[in-house]
């Protein structure tokens, strides 16, 4: 095979991996992921496993907030008819600074909400029970993965 075919194949593989990653983040509950990781690592590293799983849980729950904030800021700037191409470096730095301010504010609100719910980073979290919609979604994702593997061979 030629180099462009290999590049195309690897690019498609990367896009598929990113798509499944975003799907996993959207579908999977960060509490369940955190709890699973904490239970798996707690016999090995003790209470630090729950701290590590808490950090991962908070990070996973922040990703959609970051993307939503960036989209919201971009649309707000577009509605004010800002010309991004006139001074792209200045526009990018202004956008980044504004986004960071907004994210710090929302992060603080998120942290306050966690504290109000009695969040303890060094303790196990109890996940809600799995519902029928979770099972249907899981079966759909597994079916899609099998379909991709069958089509590949």
């Amino acid at each position: 095979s030629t180099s462009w075919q290999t590049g195309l194949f690897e690019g498609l593989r990367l896009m598929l991996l990113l798509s499944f990653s975003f799907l996993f983040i959207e579908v999977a509950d960060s509490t369940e992921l955190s709890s699973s990781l904490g239970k798996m690592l707690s016999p090995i590293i003790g209470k630090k496993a729950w701290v590590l799983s808490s950090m991962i849980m908070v990070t996973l729950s922040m990703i959609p907030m970051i993307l939503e904030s960036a989209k919201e800021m971009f649309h707000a700037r577009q509605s004010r008819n800002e010309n991004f191409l006139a001074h792209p470096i200045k526009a990018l730095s202004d956008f980044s600074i504004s986004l960071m301010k907004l994210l710090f504010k929302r992060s603080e609100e998120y942290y306050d909400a966690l504290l109000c719910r009695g969040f303890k980073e060094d303790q196990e979290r109890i996940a809600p029970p799995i519902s029928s919609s979770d099972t249907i979604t899981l079966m759909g994702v597994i079916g899609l993965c099998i379909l991709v593997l069958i089509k590949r061979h």
Side-chain angles (χ1 to χ4, degrees), residues 129-140:
I130 295 175
S131 67
S132 59
S133 64
D134 295 331
T135 306
I136 292 169
T137 303
L138 180 62
M139 292 301 174

Side-chain angles (χ1 to χ4, degrees), residues 109-124:
E109 291 168 357
Y110 183 67
Y111 177 72
D112 290 341
L114 285 175
L115 287 179
C116 289
R117 288 182 281 187
F119 180 77
K120 304 273 190 242
E121 72 270 358
D122 59 348
Q123 293 179 357
E124 179 180 359

Side-chain angles (χ1 to χ4, degrees), residues 4-140:
W4 71 268
Q5 289 173 330
T6 304
L8 181 65
F9 175 74
E10 292 299 325
L12 289 173
R13 217 171 102 191
L14 178 64
M15 286 176 50
L16 186 65
L17 178 67
L18 288 173
S19 299
F20 279 125
S21 298
F22 280 121
L23 179 67
F24 181 70
I25 288 172
E26 279 296 316
V27 172
D29 182 32
S30 59
T31 306
E32 292 173 358
L33 293 173
S34 170
S35 181
S36 299
L37 184 65
K39 285 179 184 176
M40 183 177 72
L41 293 177
S42 63
I44 300 168
I45 59 176
K47 274 196 160 202
K48 291 191 186 288
W50 296 110
V51 175
L52 176 65
S53 69
S54 294
M55 285 190 281
I56 291 173
M57 181 190 78
V58 169
T59 302
L60 285 176
S61 61
M62 293 290 286
I63 291 171
M65 184 192 321
I66 293 168
L67 295 175
E68 184 63 34
S69 297
K71 188 168 79 171
E72 190 178 297
M73 295 245 339
F74 182 73
H75 289 303
R77 287 175 177 255
Q78 266 186 332
S79 67
R80 290 192 296 263
N81 289 328
E82 283 191 22
N83 187 1
F84 298 107
L85 299 176
H87 302 285
I89 295 174
K90 182 178 181 327
L92 183 62
S93 72
D94 289 347
F95 182 80
S96 300
I97 291 168
S98 299
L99 181 62
M100 292 305 291
K101 285 180 183 178
L102 182 62
L103 286 175
F104 283 135
K105 181 180 177 234
R106 289 192 177 170
S107 298
E108 188 176 0
E109 291 168 357
Y110 183 67
Y111 177 72
D112 290 341
L114 285 175
L115 287 179
C116 289
R117 288 182 281 187
F119 180 77
K120 304 273 190 242
E121 72 270 358
D122 59 348
Q123 293 179 357
E124 179 180 359
R125 277 149 306 285
I126 291 140
I130 295 175
S131 67
S132 59
S133 64
D134 295 331
T135 306
I136 292 169
T137 303
L138 180 62
M139 292 301 174

